[in-house]
Amino acid sequence: MATLSALGAAAAQPLPPARLPSTASDLPPAAAESVADAAPQDPRTRLNAQILQASLEVSLKAGDDASALLYRSAIDRINELLAPEFGPGALQAVSAQDHSPAATAGRIVALSTAFFDRYAAQHAGEDPEAVVRNFMKLIRSGFEQGYGEAREILSGLGVMDEGSTIADAVQQTYALVQQGYDDFLAHRLAALGGEAAASGAAQDSGQR
């Protein structure tokens, strides 16, 4: 039996913002119900159908390519939210062999938070704390959208039952990304507090 490489290959293509229907007659019941009223009419929706159809033809006992799908979807959605200000493809997703929850979450957090300095430069002169918080709100929103889309695909395929290996891996990845974002925010806010304290101390010293 093939592995999930077919799904991973499909996930390497940017996912469009539309929902993810399929016209395959042999969809599992859960997937069939979710797409019964949606028929692909254009290349984007046909690509969605191909993602689902390909995934029906492979084994879903391992979670590697489910994690790859989550990663690709999250980066695509963050890019969509960054696009109005920074243009398309601000974040460049990278391929990797390690699709464990920790590795997948680490790549999502590292790639998205690495864009902060560029975002901050674009908002120079604004309140620094507000800039940090607005940036985190933006990338969290993109991640949440990507996570929701990936989870919807996997749920439609019937592989997200409670206690399943894939469900556990996806949920663990989600929790690790959120923790990574929390840590980044706390680090940046602490740095701002330190800068403010240092500035105040320098002013006090100059007045003596």
Side-chain angles (χ1 to χ4, degrees):
M1 181 178 293
T3 64
L4 281 174
S5 57
L7 178 55
Q13 301 298 322
L15 295 175
R19 292 175 67 85
L20 294 149
S22 174
T23 56
S25 59
D26 56 347
L27 284 172
E33 290 175 5
S34 68
V35 301
D37 298 326
Q41 300 296 329
D42 56 44
R44 292 186 307 170
T45 50
R46 281 198 296 272
L47 173 60
N48 293 335
Q50 290 168 7
I51 293 172
L52 289 177
Q53 184 61 36
S55 61
L56 291 175
E57 300 169 356
V58 297
S59 168
L60 288 171
K61 293 182 179 179
D64 284 1
D65 289 307
S67 294
L69 173 65
L70 173 57
Y71 171 75
R72 180 73 249 189
S73 184
I75 296 304
D76 283 348
R77 294 304 156 252
I78 294 172
N79 268 334
E80 282 187 359
L81 297 183
L82 291 173
E85 194 167 351
F86 298 97
L91 304 183
Q92 296 298 316
V94 295
S95 60
Q97 297 298 318
D98 186 354
H99 295 298
S100 66
T104 302
R107 286 193 297 274
I108 293 172
V109 172
L111 185 61
S112 54
T113 57
F115 200 77
F116 174 72
D117 288 341
R118 185 175 171 189
Y119 179 91
Q122 194 82 351
H123 294 268
E126 299 179 20
D127 177 61
E129 180 176 339
V131 171
V132 174
R133 293 188 181 279
N134 289 339
F135 174 74
M136 294 309 301
K137 182 178 180 180
L138 183 71
I139 62 174
R140 277 189 200 269
S141 177
F143 169 69
E144 292 279 357
Q145 291 178 35
Y147 168 80
E149 288 184 0
R151 188 178 180 88
E152 182 179 355
I153 293 174
L154 296 169
S155 294
L157 295 171
V159 298
M160 289 293 287
D161 294 336
E162 184 176 355
S164 76
T165 300
I166 291 177
D168 288 347
V170 169
Q171 187 56 44
Q172 187 178 355
T173 302
Y174 176 88
L176 289 171
V177 170
Q178 295 292 4
Q179 183 61 56
Y181 284 160
D182 287 343
D183 291 345
F184 180 85
L185 177 60
H187 175 76
R188 286 289 177 171
L189 292 179
L192 288 176
E195 290 173 4
S199 175
Q203 290 178 2
D204 291 342
S205 176
Q207 292 173 357
R208 291 184 186 136

